[in-house]
Structures are given as structure tokens and as C-alpha cells.
Amino acid sequence: MPKTAVIALGGNALTLEGQSGTYVEQELNALHMAETVCSLRDAGWNVVLVHGNGPQVGNLAIQQEQGEPLVPQQPLFCLGSMTQGQIGSLLTLALRRVGGSRIRDVASLVTHVVVEADDPAMDRPTKPIGPFFDADQATLLANQRGWRVAEDAGRGYRRVVPSPEPTRIVEAGVIKTLVDSGVIVVAAGGGGVPVVRQDKGYTGVDAVIDKDYAAQQLATALKADALILVTGVERVLLDFGTPQQRPVREMTAEEAERHLGDGQFPEGSMGPKVRAALRFIRNGGETAVITTPQLVQASLDADPKADAEVGTRIVTSRTQVGATR
């Protein structure tokens, strides 16, 4: 039976730094990601693709605010569902274009993700969305529009919104049925539409869920073999920004947990990825990988060569002597 990999792709991977976010730019970036997915399919993997939506949902929110005099503004959770359709279509078309006859079926599924109404994160906005602004612009917009703004990794200021923890994927059963049928599934886009349980169903809440945590929840629910967290760096770095900076090829869950406790992985950068990887491993997953799209296939090798170009693997136990260096 084919193994299953859940891949988490950041919204910033579709709107690269320095790009304005036009459709043509995002289309080209989606084609690069489609090549990675198709290579995994060629190697016999079932694939579920989860994407972020930070730039896209923030841009859409601005368009909603600007259009308010003419049409009613929609709530943030509704914008999340809109970007699921937008980016899901983008990735589906890219996969069919790159894969051709190799790709039998692709399905993009609007996915709802349960959060807790009393999650403390609802009162502490931390998730950056939309474009970057300088400090003066950010202050002006915060005052004019009631935004919360924060500095984002030294690149400027962005609007921040609540980002509660995902607790369950509502459509997990449907997604599993599709995956077991050999369908490439795009799901939990933007971390999923955040909803809370009500007496007679669910209702949306204004937030944006971290896509790495949502991908972990989905990977665990599917009993996937691998969780792949795609980022802009080839490997996780220890002692980042110091003379002792060094890449990590492989960590056990215990080592990763210790490094997290030591503050090696800040919340604004690598922290959520390492934490999502740990949760996956702790809940029965075999392997989690953090790397660039180009190194995904090599990084999934169960016995990577010492001199191979691979990303960072987080595993249950050491599989290679001297893998961390």
C-alpha cells in the first residue's frame, strides 16, 4: 500500500519576498511546488498538500475594507474559505500542467478546522497577514482601521490576527477516502476555516490557523507516514546567527524537544515547524522533514547517504550515526 505524505506549503512560497502577489507570479511559483509533488507521486507516495494563506488573506481583507462603501465586508473566516478556493485552484491547475497524464485526479477541498472558543490566542493576535509596511504606515493603518500590528522577522510591520490551536479536522474522513483512492488532495488551506462547535453544528470565528499545526493535525488523523514542512532554508540551524551556527541533518524527537526548550527555535520563525513535527512524531508519525521543495524527495530517503544533500529529518530514533553535524 502506498505511503502517505502531508506537505505544508507556506503562503509566502506562492508570493515570494519582493513580489507583489499578482496571479502570474503565484502561478509560476505554484508550478515549482507542483514539480515536488509530482516527483513524490512518481516515487509511489500518496500526497496531501496543505497551504498557508497569510499574504493572500491579508490582501483580500484590504480589498474587502476598501470596497465597503459599495459591497458588504465579509468576516475574516469567510475570507479564509475564499483563499482556499483561490489557492486550491492555483495548485490544482499547476499539478495537472506539470503532471500531465501521470496525474489521475486532483481534488481541492474546502476544509473546516475546529478550535476552542476560549483559546487564549483569541485575545492575543500573533499571526501576520497581508503586506509589509514601515513603522509609520503600520501605525497609521492601525489607528485608522483598528488593526493590531507587529514587527515581522525584521522585514517590516504587518497586521496580526488571532491564531488559535487546531483541535480537529472536520473533513478528515472525506480526505482519507480520497487519499486511499489515489487522489492528490489539497486540503486545510490557510490552516483551514476556523470553526467552533455549537449545539447544532459549527460556526466560524475570526482567526487564521497556523498551517503547520493544521498540517500536523491532518497528518495525524490520516495516520500519514511523513509530514513535510516546506520552507525557504534547506536545513534547520542551531545557534543561528552566531559563529557556532550549524545545520542539522537529523534529530530525534528528544533532541528536538531539548533544542526547543533551550530557545533554539523562535516562535516567529522555525518554532512552529519544529513543534508541529514533534507533535506528529509523538502521535505515531514516522518521519517529519523540514526543508526546501528541491530537497523533499532526497530527505524522505529512509537511509540518506552521509554526503547527500538533504533537509532536516526529525525521527523517533537515530537512523544514522553522525547525522547531526
Side-chain angles (χ1 to χ4, degrees), residues 271-322:
K273 289 179 171 49
V274 174
R275 189 168 282 107
L278 269 173
R279 291 177 183 177
F280 175 65
I281 297 296
R282 296 298 191 199
N283 283 281
E286 291 182 9
T287 304
V289 171
I290 302 174
T291 193
T292 58
Q294 295 79 10
L295 294 182
V296 165
Q297 182 66 59
S299 302
L300 282 176
D301 188 335
D303 185 21
K305 296 179 181 178
D307 59 350
E309 283 295 316
V310 296
T312 297
R313 292 158 45 90
I314 299 176
V315 294
T316 54
S317 60
R318 175 73 66 213
T319 60
Q320 177 190 356
V321 176

mmCIF file of all heavy atoms in Angstrom, residues 271-322:
data_model
loop_
_atom_site.group_PDB
_atom_site.id
_atom_site.type_symbol
_atom_site.label_atom_id
_atom_site.label_comp_id
_atom_site.label_asym_id
_atom_site.label_seq_id
_atom_site.Cartn_x
_atom_site.Cartn_y
_atom_site.Cartn_z
ATOM 1 N N GLY A 271 10.154 27.861 15.146
ATOM 2 C CA GLY A 271 9.481 27.240 16.281
ATOM 3 C C GLY A 271 8.234 26.445 15.924
ATOM 4 O O GLY A 271 8.127 25.270 16.294
ATOM 5 N N PRO A 272 7.255 27.040 15.214
ATOM 6 C CA PRO A 272 6.043 26.283 14.886
ATOM 7 C C PRO A 272 6.313 25.036 14.052
ATOM 8 O O PRO A 272 5.631 24.020 14.223
ATOM 9 C CB PRO A 272 5.202 27.303 14.103
ATOM 10 C CG PRO A 272 5.675 28.629 14.585
ATOM 11 C CD PRO A 272 7.141 28.465 14.821
ATOM 12 N N LYS A 273 7.302 25.102 13.150
ATOM 13 C CA LYS A 273 7.600 23.935 12.319
ATOM 14 C C LYS A 273 8.161 22.788 13.150
ATOM 15 O O LYS A 273 7.738 21.629 13.000
ATOM 16 C CB LYS A 273 8.574 24.325 11.201
ATOM 17 C CG LYS A 273 7.942 25.205 10.134
ATOM 18 C CD LYS A 273 8.927 25.596 9.080
ATOM 19 C CE LYS A 273 8.231 26.286 7.903
ATOM 20 N NZ LYS A 273 7.314 27.345 8.281
ATOM 21 N N VAL A 274 9.114 23.096 14.022
ATOM 22 C CA VAL A 274 9.683 22.049 14.865
ATOM 23 C C VAL A 274 8.626 21.504 15.815
ATOM 24 O O VAL A 274 8.525 20.294 16.039
ATOM 25 C CB VAL A 274 10.906 22.585 15.641
ATOM 26 C CG1 VAL A 274 11.412 21.538 16.632
ATOM 27 C CG2 VAL A 274 12.021 22.988 14.675
ATOM 28 N N ARG A 275 7.803 22.379 16.360
ATOM 29 C CA ARG A 275 6.757 21.925 17.286
ATOM 30 C C ARG A 275 5.727 21.050 16.559
ATOM 31 O O ARG A 275 5.300 20.021 17.093
ATOM 32 C CB ARG A 275 6.074 23.136 17.924
ATOM 33 C CG ARG A 275 5.131 22.755 19.057
ATOM 34 C CD ARG A 275 4.699 23.956 19.868
ATOM 35 N NE ARG A 275 5.761 24.356 20.794
ATOM 36 C CZ ARG A 275 6.506 25.441 20.642
ATOM 37 N NH1 ARG A 275 6.310 26.242 19.614
ATOM 38 N NH2 ARG A 275 7.455 25.724 21.506
ATOM 39 N N ALA A 276 5.351 21.434 15.338
ATOM 40 C CA ALA A 276 4.414 20.609 14.562
ATOM 41 C C ALA A 276 5.031 19.251 14.244
ATOM 42 O O ALA A 276 4.361 18.214 14.328
ATOM 43 C CB ALA A 276 4.030 21.335 13.273
ATOM 44 N N ALA A 277 6.310 19.251 13.889
ATOM 45 C CA ALA A 277 6.998 17.995 13.602
ATOM 46 C C ALA A 277 7.010 17.093 14.825
ATOM 47 O O ALA A 277 6.764 15.879 14.734
ATOM 48 C CB ALA A 277 8.423 18.287 13.134
ATOM 49 N N LEU A 278 7.284 17.676 15.993
ATOM 50 C CA LEU A 278 7.309 16.909 17.236
ATOM 51 C C LEU A 278 5.937 16.309 17.551
ATOM 52 O O LEU A 278 5.834 15.142 17.953
ATOM 53 C CB LEU A 278 7.754 17.806 18.387
ATOM 54 C CG LEU A 278 9.247 17.849 18.683
ATOM 55 C CD1 LEU A 278 9.544 18.921 19.728
ATOM 56 C CD2 LEU A 278 9.730 16.493 19.171
ATOM 57 N N ARG A 279 4.896 17.088 17.385
ATOM 58 C CA ARG A 279 3.548 16.587 17.660
ATOM 59 C C ARG A 279 3.224 15.406 16.753
ATOM 60 O O ARG A 279 2.595 14.428 17.186
ATOM 61 C CB ARG A 279 2.520 17.709 17.463
ATOM 62 C CG ARG A 279 2.608 18.805 18.499
ATOM 63 C CD ARG A 279 1.611 19.923 18.185
ATOM 64 N NE ARG A 279 1.724 21.022 19.135
ATOM 65 C CZ ARG A 279 1.018 22.143 19.058
ATOM 66 N NH1 ARG A 279 0.136 22.323 18.069
ATOM 67 N NH2 ARG A 279 1.172 23.096 19.949
ATOM 68 N N PHE A 280 3.647 15.493 15.508
ATOM 69 C CA PHE A 280 3.390 14.408 14.558
ATOM 70 C C PHE A 280 4.097 13.132 15.013
ATOM 71 O O PHE A 280 3.498 12.049 15.055
ATOM 72 C CB PHE A 280 3.860 14.827 13.171
ATOM 73 C CG PHE A 280 3.748 13.747 12.132
ATOM 74 C CD1 PHE A 280 2.514 13.250 11.754
ATOM 75 C CD2 PHE A 280 4.891 13.217 11.537
ATOM 76 C CE1 PHE A 280 2.408 12.245 10.802
ATOM 77 C CE2 PHE A 280 4.793 12.225 10.582
ATOM 78 C CZ PHE A 280 3.551 11.730 10.212
ATOM 79 N N ILE A 281 5.366 13.257 15.366
ATOM 80 C CA ILE A 281 6.133 12.096 15.816
ATOM 81 C C ILE A 281 5.549 11.535 17.114
ATOM 82 O O ILE A 281 5.384 10.315 17.269
ATOM 83 C CB ILE A 281 7.619 12.470 16.017
ATOM 84 C CG1 ILE A 281 8.260 12.914 14.687
ATOM 85 C CG2 ILE A 281 8.387 11.315 16.643
ATOM 86 C CD1 ILE A 281 8.319 11.842 13.634
ATOM 87 N N ARG A 282 5.204 12.410 18.050
ATOM 88 C CA ARG A 282 4.664 11.964 19.335
ATOM 89 C C ARG A 282 3.316 11.260 19.192
ATOM 90 O O ARG A 282 2.909 10.480 20.055
ATOM 91 C CB ARG A 282 4.512 13.155 20.281
ATOM 92 C CG ARG A 282 5.814 13.842 20.681
ATOM 93 C CD ARG A 282 6.735 12.921 21.419
ATOM 94 N NE ARG A 282 7.861 13.640 22.029
ATOM 95 C CZ ARG A 282 8.987 13.053 22.414
ATOM 96 N NH1 ARG A 282 9.136 11.754 22.243
ATOM 97 N NH2 ARG A 282 9.964 13.755 22.956
ATOM 98 N N ASN A 283 2.615 11.544 18.094
ATOM 99 C CA ASN A 283 1.304 10.934 17.869
ATOM 100 C C ASN A 283 1.364 9.780 16.871
ATOM 101 O O ASN A 283 0.351 9.443 16.251
ATOM 102 C CB ASN A 283 0.303 11.991 17.403
ATOM 103 C CG ASN A 283 -0.189 12.869 18.541
ATOM 104 O OD1 ASN A 283 -1.051 12.467 19.321
ATOM 105 N ND2 ASN A 283 0.373 14.059 18.654
ATOM 106 N N GLY A 284 2.546 9.178 16.717
ATOM 107 C CA GLY A 284 2.653 7.957 15.914
ATOM 108 C C GLY A 284 3.261 8.116 14.544
ATOM 109 O O GLY A 284 3.418 7.123 13.821
ATOM 110 N N GLY A 285 3.598 9.339 14.118
ATOM 111 C CA GLY A 285 4.209 9.532 12.813
ATOM 112 C C GLY A 285 5.626 8.974 12.752
ATOM 113 O O GLY A 285 6.303 8.873 13.784
ATOM 114 N N GLU A 286 6.071 8.616 11.556
ATOM 115 C CA GLU A 286 7.398 8.035 11.398
ATOM 116 C C GLU A 286 8.479 9.101 11.228
ATOM 117 O O GLU A 286 9.499 9.084 11.922
ATOM 118 C CB GLU A 286 7.424 7.103 10.183
ATOM 119 C CG GLU A 286 6.611 5.835 10.336
ATOM 120 C CD GLU A 286 6.735 4.940 9.114
ATOM 121 O OE1 GLU A 286 7.570 5.229 8.232
ATOM 122 O OE2 GLU A 286 5.985 3.955 9.032
ATOM 123 N N THR A 287 8.251 10.002 10.288
ATOM 124 C CA THR A 287 9.291 10.959 9.912
ATOM 125 C C THR A 287 8.678 12.316 9.618
ATOM 126 O O THR A 287 7.653 12.406 8.936
ATOM 127 C CB THR A 287 10.052 10.487 8.654
ATOM 128 O OG1 THR A 287 10.578 9.181 8.882
ATOM 129 C CG2 THR A 287 11.191 11.436 8.313
ATOM 130 N N ALA A 288 9.318 13.363 10.100
ATOM 131 C CA ALA A 288 8.964 14.729 9.726
ATOM 132 C C ALA A 288 10.192 15.366 9.088
ATOM 133 O O ALA A 288 11.328 15.118 9.509
ATOM 134 C CB ALA A 288 8.528 15.540 10.941
ATOM 135 N N VAL A 289 9.956 16.165 8.047
ATOM 136 C CA VAL A 289 11.046 16.780 7.293
ATOM 137 C C VAL A 289 10.813 18.275 7.206
ATOM 138 O O VAL A 289 9.684 18.719 6.955
ATOM 139 C CB VAL A 289 11.137 16.180 5.872
ATOM 140 C CG1 VAL A 289 12.116 16.973 5.011
ATOM 141 C CG2 VAL A 289 11.552 14.718 5.929
ATOM 142 N N ILE A 290 11.865 19.041 7.430
ATOM 143 C CA ILE A 290 11.824 20.489 7.250
ATOM 144 C C ILE A 290 12.891 20.837 6.225
ATOM 145 O O ILE A 290 14.089 20.632 6.462
ATOM 146 C CB ILE A 290 12.100 21.238 8.571
ATOM 147 C CG1 ILE A 290 11.086 20.836 9.643
ATOM 148 C CG2 ILE A 290 12.066 22.755 8.349
ATOM 149 C CD1 ILE A 290 11.374 21.414 11.023
ATOM 150 N N THR A 291 12.473 21.364 5.065
ATOM 151 C CA THR A 291 13.446 21.642 4.005
ATOM 152 C C THR A 291 12.797 22.451 2.888
ATOM 153 O O THR A 291 11.632 22.846 2.972
ATOM 154 C CB THR A 291 14.017 20.326 3.445
ATOM 155 O OG1 THR A 291 15.168 20.608 2.639
ATOM 156 C CG2 THR A 291 12.999 19.569 2.614
ATOM 157 N N THR A 292 13.563 22.692 1.829
ATOM 158 C CA THR A 292 13.077 23.383 0.639
ATOM 159 C C THR A 292 12.370 22.382 -0.284
ATOM 160 O O THR A 292 12.576 21.164 -0.161
ATOM 161 C CB THR A 292 14.251 24.017 -0.120
ATOM 162 O OG1 THR A 292 15.184 22.982 -0.477
ATOM 163 C CG2 THR A 292 14.958 25.061 0.720
ATOM 164 N N PRO A 293 11.570 22.875 -1.233
ATOM 165 C CA PRO A 293 10.908 21.946 -2.162
ATOM 166 C C PRO A 293 11.891 21.053 -2.913
ATOM 167 O O PRO A 293 11.610 19.879 -3.162
ATOM 168 C CB PRO A 293 10.168 22.892 -3.126
ATOM 169 C CG PRO A 293 9.942 24.133 -2.349
ATOM 170 C CD PRO A 293 11.139 24.271 -1.459
ATOM 171 N N GLN A 294 13.059 21.596 -3.244
ATOM 172 C CA GLN A 294 14.016 20.856 -4.051
ATOM 173 C C GLN A 294 14.582 19.630 -3.337
ATOM 174 O O GLN A 294 15.013 18.672 -3.985
ATOM 175 C CB GLN A 294 15.169 21.770 -4.478
ATOM 176 C CG GLN A 294 14.777 22.915 -5.397
ATOM 177 C CD GLN A 294 14.136 24.081 -4.660
ATOM 178 O OE1 GLN A 294 14.138 24.133 -3.423
ATOM 179 N NE2 GLN A 294 13.588 25.026 -5.416
ATOM 180 N N LEU A 295 14.600 19.639 -1.998
ATOM 181 C CA LEU A 295 15.231 18.552 -1.250
ATOM 182 C C LEU A 295 14.229 17.607 -0.592
ATOM 183 O O LEU A 295 14.624 16.732 0.178
ATOM 184 C CB LEU A 295 16.171 19.122 -0.182
ATOM 185 C CG LEU A 295 17.402 19.866 -0.692
ATOM 186 C CD1 LEU A 295 18.269 20.342 0.466
ATOM 187 C CD2 LEU A 295 18.219 18.996 -1.643
ATOM 188 N N VAL A 296 12.960 17.767 -0.888
ATOM 189 C CA VAL A 296 11.942 16.932 -0.245
ATOM 190 C C VAL A 296 12.173 15.458 -0.547
ATOM 191 O O VAL A 296 12.198 14.612 0.350
ATOM 192 C CB VAL A 296 10.527 17.367 -0.680
ATOM 193 C CG1 VAL A 296 9.500 16.296 -0.327
ATOM 194 C CG2 VAL A 296 10.147 18.685 -0.026
ATOM 195 N N GLN A 297 12.322 15.117 -1.818
ATOM 196 C CA GLN A 297 12.450 13.710 -2.194
ATOM 197 C C GLN A 297 13.656 13.057 -1.542
ATOM 198 O O GLN A 297 13.562 11.972 -0.949
ATOM 199 C CB GLN A 297 12.549 13.591 -3.719
ATOM 200 C CG GLN A 297 12.644 12.156 -4.227
ATOM 201 C CD GLN A 297 11.384 11.364 -3.952
ATOM 202 O OE1 GLN A 297 10.297 11.711 -4.393
ATOM 203 N NE2 GLN A 297 11.516 10.283 -3.189
ATOM 204 N N ALA A 298 14.810 13.714 -1.621
ATOM 205 C CA ALA A 298 16.025 13.146 -1.023
ATOM 206 C C ALA A 298 15.895 13.021 0.483
ATOM 207 O O ALA A 298 16.409 12.068 1.090
ATOM 208 C CB ALA A 298 17.227 14.007 -1.385
ATOM 209 N N SER A 299 15.205 13.951 1.097
ATOM 210 C CA SER A 299 15.096 13.956 2.557
ATOM 211 C C SER A 299 14.212 12.835 3.086
ATOM 212 O O SER A 299 14.309 12.459 4.252
ATOM 213 C CB SER A 299 14.554 15.306 3.031
ATOM 214 O OG SER A 299 15.393 16.364 2.608
ATOM 215 N N LEU A 300 13.330 12.304 2.243
ATOM 216 C CA LEU A 300 12.456 11.218 2.665
ATOM 217 C C LEU A 300 13.134 9.858 2.578
ATOM 218 O O LEU A 300 12.565 8.856 3.023
ATOM 219 C CB LEU A 300 11.183 11.199 1.817
ATOM 220 C CG LEU A 300 10.127 12.241 2.194
ATOM 221 C CD1 LEU A 300 8.966 12.187 1.225
ATOM 222 C CD2 LEU A 300 9.643 12.035 3.609
ATOM 223 N N ASP A 301 14.337 9.810 2.011
ATOM 224 C CA ASP A 301 15.089 8.568 1.941
ATOM 225 C C ASP A 301 15.280 8.044 3.365
ATOM 226 O O ASP A 301 15.771 8.739 4.243
ATOM 227 C CB ASP A 301 16.452 8.831 1.295
ATOM 228 C CG ASP A 301 17.203 7.547 1.003
ATOM 229 O OD1 ASP A 301 16.949 6.539 1.682
ATOM 230 O OD2 ASP A 301 18.046 7.558 0.089
ATOM 231 N N ALA A 302 14.911 6.789 3.592
ATOM 232 C CA ALA A 302 14.987 6.235 4.944
ATOM 233 C C ALA A 302 16.421 6.066 5.431
ATOM 234 O O ALA A 302 16.664 5.973 6.623
ATOM 235 C CB ALA A 302 14.272 4.882 4.989
ATOM 236 N N ASP A 303 17.382 6.033 4.515
ATOM 237 C CA ASP A 303 18.779 5.855 4.904
ATOM 238 C C ASP A 303 19.653 6.798 4.080
ATOM 239 O O ASP A 303 20.397 6.379 3.194
ATOM 240 C CB ASP A 303 19.212 4.412 4.678
ATOM 241 C CG ASP A 303 20.622 4.147 5.191
ATOM 242 O OD1 ASP A 303 21.073 4.923 6.047
ATOM 243 O OD2 ASP A 303 21.252 3.178 4.730
ATOM 244 N N PRO A 304 19.555 8.116 4.325
ATOM 245 C CA PRO A 304 20.277 9.079 3.500
ATOM 246 C C PRO A 304 21.782 8.898 3.613
ATOM 247 O O PRO A 304 22.320 8.638 4.675
ATOM 248 C CB PRO A 304 19.847 10.435 4.076
ATOM 249 C CG PRO A 304 19.442 10.132 5.471
ATOM 250 C CD PRO A 304 18.867 8.749 5.448
ATOM 251 N N LYS A 305 22.479 9.040 2.494
ATOM 252 C CA LYS A 305 23.931 8.946 2.488
ATOM 253 C C LYS A 305 24.526 10.136 3.227
ATOM 254 O O LYS A 305 23.974 11.223 3.238
ATOM 255 C CB LYS A 305 24.448 8.910 1.052
ATOM 256 C CG LYS A 305 23.991 7.684 0.266
ATOM 257 C CD LYS A 305 24.522 7.738 -1.152
ATOM 258 C CE LYS A 305 24.051 6.528 -1.951
ATOM 259 N NZ LYS A 305 24.528 6.590 -3.352
ATOM 260 N N ALA A 306 25.676 9.925 3.821
ATOM 261 C CA ALA A 306 26.294 10.973 4.630
ATOM 262 C C ALA A 306 26.596 12.219 3.818
ATOM 263 O O ALA A 306 26.584 13.326 4.345
ATOM 264 C CB ALA A 306 27.565 10.442 5.279
ATOM 265 N N ASP A 307 26.872 12.039 2.523
ATOM 266 C CA ASP A 307 27.248 13.186 1.711
ATOM 267 C C ASP A 307 26.093 13.695 0.852
ATOM 268 O O ASP A 307 26.276 14.557 0.009
ATOM 269 C CB ASP A 307 28.442 12.845 0.818
ATOM 270 C CG ASP A 307 28.153 11.670 -0.114
ATOM 271 O OD1 ASP A 307 27.101 11.018 0.069
ATOM 272 O OD2 ASP A 307 28.980 11.403 -1.012
ATOM 273 N N ALA A 308 24.893 13.143 1.055
ATOM 274 C CA ALA A 308 23.752 13.558 0.241
ATOM 275 C C ALA A 308 23.237 14.920 0.687
ATOM 276 O O ALA A 308 23.314 15.278 1.865
ATOM 277 C CB ALA A 308 22.631 12.521 0.336
ATOM 278 N N GLU A 309 22.712 15.687 -0.263
ATOM 279 C CA GLU A 309 22.080 16.961 0.050
ATOM 280 C C GLU A 309 20.656 16.693 0.506
ATOM 281 O O GLU A 309 19.792 16.330 -0.301
ATOM 282 C CB GLU A 309 22.089 17.879 -1.168
ATOM 283 C CG GLU A 309 23.434 18.538 -1.441
ATOM 284 C CD GLU A 309 23.832 19.489 -0.323
ATOM 285 O OE1 GLU A 309 22.976 20.255 0.138
ATOM 286 O OE2 GLU A 309 25.001 19.449 0.099
ATOM 287 N N VAL A 310 20.414 16.812 1.803
ATOM 288 C CA VAL A 310 19.089 16.558 2.354
ATOM 289 C C VAL A 310 18.727 17.666 3.315
ATOM 290 O O VAL A 310 19.581 18.439 3.759
ATOM 291 C CB VAL A 310 19.029 15.194 3.090
ATOM 292 C CG1 VAL A 310 19.255 14.051 2.123
ATOM 293 C CG2 VAL A 310 20.035 15.149 4.232
ATOM 294 N N GLY A 311 17.435 17.729 3.659
ATOM 295 C CA GLY A 311 16.978 18.689 4.642
ATOM 296 C C GLY A 311 17.128 18.137 6.043
ATOM 297 O O GLY A 311 17.911 17.218 6.288
ATOM 298 N N THR A 312 16.356 18.689 6.976
ATOM 299 C CA THR A 312 16.380 18.218 8.362
ATOM 300 C C THR A 312 15.262 17.201 8.569
ATOM 301 O O THR A 312 14.100 17.468 8.266
ATOM 302 C CB THR A 312 16.196 19.393 9.336
ATOM 303 O OG1 THR A 312 17.291 20.293 9.191
ATOM 304 C CG2 THR A 312 16.136 18.894 10.776
ATOM 305 N N ARG A 313 15.640 16.034 9.077
ATOM 306 C CA ARG A 313 14.680 14.978 9.400
ATOM 307 C C ARG A 313 14.522 14.899 10.916
ATOM 308 O O ARG A 313 15.520 14.923 11.640
ATOM 309 C CB ARG A 313 15.165 13.622 8.870
ATOM 310 C CG ARG A 313 15.175 13.495 7.381
ATOM 311 C CD ARG A 313 16.136 12.411 6.902
ATOM 312 N NE ARG A 313 16.049 11.183 7.645
ATOM 313 C CZ ARG A 313 15.229 10.155 7.346
ATOM 314 N NH1 ARG A 313 14.436 10.262 6.289
ATOM 315 N NH2 ARG A 313 15.220 9.062 8.072
ATOM 316 N N ILE A 314 13.287 14.803 11.382
ATOM 317 C CA ILE A 314 13.008 14.561 12.797
ATOM 318 C C ILE A 314 12.350 13.193 12.882
ATOM 319 O O ILE A 314 11.325 12.938 12.234
ATOM 320 C CB ILE A 314 12.111 15.655 13.397
ATOM 321 C CG1 ILE A 314 12.820 17.010 13.278
ATOM 322 C CG2 ILE A 314 11.788 15.352 14.851
ATOM 323 C CD1 ILE A 314 11.992 18.180 13.744
ATOM 324 N N VAL A 315 12.974 12.292 13.637
ATOM 325 C CA VAL A 315 12.577 10.887 13.632
ATOM 326 C C VAL A 315 12.395 10.394 15.066
ATOM 327 O O VAL A 315 12.763 11.063 16.036
ATOM 328 C CB VAL A 315 13.648 10.032 12.911
ATOM 329 C CG1 VAL A 315 13.715 10.402 11.435
ATOM 330 C CG2 VAL A 315 15.010 10.207 13.562
ATOM 331 N N THR A 316 11.837 9.185 15.187
ATOM 332 C CA THR A 316 11.603 8.609 16.507
ATOM 333 C C THR A 316 12.918 8.221 17.177
ATOM 334 O O THR A 316 13.068 8.342 18.390
ATOM 335 C CB THR A 316 10.685 7.388 16.412
ATOM 336 O OG1 THR A 316 11.236 6.467 15.477
ATOM 337 C CG2 THR A 316 9.295 7.813 15.951
ATOM 338 N N SER A 317 13.874 7.722 16.380
ATOM 339 C CA SER A 317 15.155 7.311 16.935
ATOM 340 C C SER A 317 16.243 7.510 15.881
ATOM 341 O O SER A 317 15.941 7.607 14.674
ATOM 342 C CB SER A 317 15.124 5.851 17.395
ATOM 343 O OG SER A 317 14.836 4.998 16.298
ATOM 344 N N ARG A 318 17.472 7.529 16.313
ATOM 345 C CA ARG A 318 18.590 7.770 15.409
ATOM 346 C C ARG A 318 18.687 6.663 14.357
ATOM 347 O O ARG A 318 18.683 5.480 14.681
ATOM 348 C CB ARG A 318 19.886 7.861 16.201
ATOM 349 C CG ARG A 318 21.137 8.002 15.370
ATOM 350 C CD ARG A 318 21.244 9.402 14.756
ATOM 351 N NE ARG A 318 21.420 10.388 15.802
ATOM 352 C CZ ARG A 318 20.940 11.615 15.725
ATOM 353 N NH1 ARG A 318 20.254 11.998 14.689
ATOM 354 N NH2 ARG A 318 21.159 12.473 16.694
ATOM 355 N N THR A 319 18.753 7.058 13.083
ATOM 356 C CA THR A 319 18.883 6.081 11.999
ATOM 357 C C THR A 319 20.244 6.145 11.336
ATOM 358 O O THR A 319 20.567 5.309 10.527
ATOM 359 C CB THR A 319 17.813 6.326 10.924
ATOM 360 O OG1 THR A 319 17.969 7.642 10.386
ATOM 361 C CG2 THR A 319 16.423 6.177 11.506
ATOM 362 N N GLN A 320 21.015 7.157 11.688
ATOM 363 C CA GLN A 320 22.302 7.334 11.011
ATOM 364 C C GLN A 320 23.302 7.923 11.978
ATOM 365 O O GLN A 320 23.075 8.983 12.544
ATOM 366 C CB GLN A 320 22.162 8.258 9.801
ATOM 367 C CG GLN A 320 23.473 8.544 9.096
ATOM 368 C CD GLN A 320 23.328 9.646 8.073
ATOM 369 O OE1 GLN A 320 22.228 10.144 7.856
ATOM 370 N NE2 GLN A 320 24.407 10.026 7.476
ATOM 371 N N VAL A 321 24.398 7.243 12.197
ATOM 372 C CA VAL A 321 25.425 7.744 13.098
ATOM 373 C C VAL A 321 26.021 9.011 12.503
ATOM 374 O O VAL A 321 26.364 9.074 11.329
ATOM 375 C CB VAL A 321 26.528 6.689 13.305
ATOM 376 C CG1 VAL A 321 27.650 7.264 14.163
ATOM 377 C CG2 VAL A 321 25.952 5.446 13.965
ATOM 378 N N GLY A 322 26.131 10.032 13.349
ATOM 379 C CA GLY A 322 26.742 11.286 12.875
ATOM 380 C C GLY A 322 25.857 12.086 11.962
ATOM 381 O O GLY A 322 26.322 12.922 11.205
#
